[in-house]
Amino acid sequence: MQVRVVLAALVTLALGVCAFGEAWAQQRKPPYYASISAGKARMRTGPGRNYPSSWLYVRADLPVKVVEVYNDWRKIEDPDGTQGWMLVSLLSSTRTAIVTGSVLEMRDAPRHNARVNWRAAPGVVGRISQCSRGWCWFDVRGRRGYVEQNRIWGTDHGEEVP
């Protein structure tokens, strides 16, 4: 009996946290960055399921920029500049970025002369945090390092990310 009560409390707590996170995402003012949370996500030409699909994304964690909000729909822009509408449930507030240009050096400190830990090719997606003074902490499945902020797409120039 006690196990059921504890499980019910945990489920209620989890649902409350999810509802809070979704409510928080609903209240954000665009523009802001997010990422695709689903392994398959359709971009549509308008804010509704009755609009045709323009793209099918099959890459979870791809960074996107939310540029407009309409009910449960977000008008997004992808790294190539393509814009369309996506259900908010297919998006995450997790900050990610994609390497642009040439091979990117991931360093052990936010300095040009710091030791190189890893290198990431253009198109590699990773999670970002600690963006400050032109550098971001970039994590690609456990391979981590500081990268120059202007070499990735997923943050605004000079944006500070906690």
Side-chain angles (χ1 to χ4, degrees):
M1 183 67 167
Q2 288 179 344
V3 171
R4 286 186 189 157
V5 172
V6 170
L7 279 174
L10 287 174
V11 168
T12 302
L13 178 62
L15 289 173
V17 168
C18 289
F20 172 77
E22 190 171 315
W24 176 81
Q26 296 285 348
Q27 295 174 2
R28 293 195 65 191
K29 300 268 188 239
Y32 63 89
Y33 286 93
S35 57
I36 296 176
S37 63
K40 288 186 178 180
R42 292 191 186 280
M43 176 187 277
R44 297 187 177 272
T45 59
R49 292 182 191 267
N50 55 325
Y51 289 91
S53 294
S54 53
W55 284 98
L56 174 63
Y57 293 90
V58 291
R59 191 171 189 186
D61 280 346
L62 185 72
V64 295
K65 187 173 196 173
V66 175
V67 296
E68 195 175 328
V69 173
Y70 179 77
N71 293 332
D72 289 339
W73 293 86
R74 301 296 179 264
K75 186 174 189 181
I76 64 162
E77 181 178 320
D78 72 14
D80 293 327
T82 302
Q83 289 191 356
W85 293 87
M86 194 171 284
L87 265 172
V88 69
S89 61
L90 299 173
L91 300 175
S92 168
S93 61
T94 301
R95 292 296 299 267
T96 64
I98 187 168
V99 176
T100 59
S102 58
V103 172
L104 178 64
E105 294 177 335
M106 301 167 62
R107 300 180 178 278
D108 68 354
R111 299 185 315 270
H112 291 286
N113 61 351
R115 184 175 64 86
V116 175
N117 293 338
W118 306 96
R119 288 182 175 82
V124 168
V125 172
R127 295 183 178 208
I128 58 168
S129 61
Q130 302 175 22
C131 295
S132 177
R133 291 177 271 163
W135 292 86
C136 292
W137 183 249
F138 192 58
D139 183 338
V140 181
R141 296 185 186 155
R143 292 177 173 90
R144 303 173 185 99
Y146 286 95
V147 298
E148 293 177 81
Q149 192 172 17
N150 63 354
R151 302 279 316 281
I152 55 177
W153 189 93
T155 67
D156 289 324
H157 181 69
E159 177 187 4
E160 301 232 346
V161 177

